[in-house]
Amino acid sequence: VEGFRRVIPGLSAKKPAPRVHVPLPRHARPASSDDMVKRPLDQKPAKKPSTPCFGSGPCPKRPGWSLDALGSAAVGRSHRSALGKSKLKEAIDETHKLLGLPDDYLVGIVPASDTGAVEMAMWSMLGPRPVDICHWESFGKEWYTDAAKQLKLEVHDIGASTYGELPDLSKTNPAHDIVFTFNGTTSGVRVPNLDWIKDDREGLVMCDATSAIFAMDMAPWHKMDV
C-alpha cells in the first residue's frame, strides 16, 4: 500500500490536455472556497463565467487558444514512444506543480477516466480494515456499491438521507479507511472543509476529486492519502 499511497485519482489519458491541465480562468472561479461555503443556498452566485457555454461535455477553448497550440502535439504517436512518454511526464510534472502538491505526493495518468482511477485505487488498496463510504450523490453511491457488493468489504454507510445533503461526516472512524467525493459531480454539493479528517488516523483517506481538483482549494493535502 505504501508504494501507492500518494496518488491523486481523477486524471485520465483519454481527456484532452486543455481540459485536464488548464484550470478555469480566474474570472470563472469563485472568489474562494469560503465564499462557496458561507453563501446562503438560495442566493445565486455573484460571479459568473464570461460565457455560459461551459459544462459537462463540449466546452469552449481556454482564453488565447489557437491551432498553433497543436503544433507540437503527438498526433498519431503511441504513448509508449519517446515523444509520448515525454508528453506524459510533462503533463504529470506540470500538474504536480500547478496543484502545489507536497513533494512526496505522486500524480498518475490512467485510462478509464475518474471512475477507472477511483476503482483502480479501491481494488488495490482497500480490504485490510473496515471502510467508511461517505456519499450524497450518484458517484459516491457508486463507490459504496463497489465496496459493498463487488469487493464485499466491511462497509460502514455514511450516506445522506436526502440526495444532495451532506451526511454527518463526524461519524467517520479514523481507524477505518475512508472514501468520499470532495465535490459531488451530479449534485454539486461539496464538503465545507476537511477538519473532520483526523491527522492521526490509522486508515487511508481516498478522495474522488475529479470535480474539484482544478476548480477548488482542496488544501490541506495531508488530509487525503489517495
Side-chain angles (χ1 to χ4, degrees), residues 167-217:
D168 183 359
L169 299 174
S170 67
K171 292 182 178 179
T172 54
N173 188 333
H176 296 175
D177 291 328
I178 298 172
V179 179
F180 78 101
T181 306
F182 197 98
N183 179 60
T185 303
T186 55
S187 70
V189 177
R190 54 158 288 170
V191 294
N193 54 57
L194 300 175
D195 295 345
W196 51 279
I197 300 175
K198 304 296 184 183
D199 289 342
D200 59 349
R201 61 190 179 275
E202 299 174 31
L204 291 173
V205 173
M206 192 175 294
C207 176
D208 172 3
T210 190
S211 294
I213 198 163
F214 286 107
M216 299 177 181
D217 182 4

Side-chain angles (χ1 to χ4, degrees), residues 62-83:
R62 60 174 171 80
W65 188 90
S66 71
L67 285 173
D68 294 338
L70 301 178
S72 61
V75 178
R77 298 299 302 276
S78 168
H79 63 282
R80 297 184 179 90
S81 67
L83 178 60

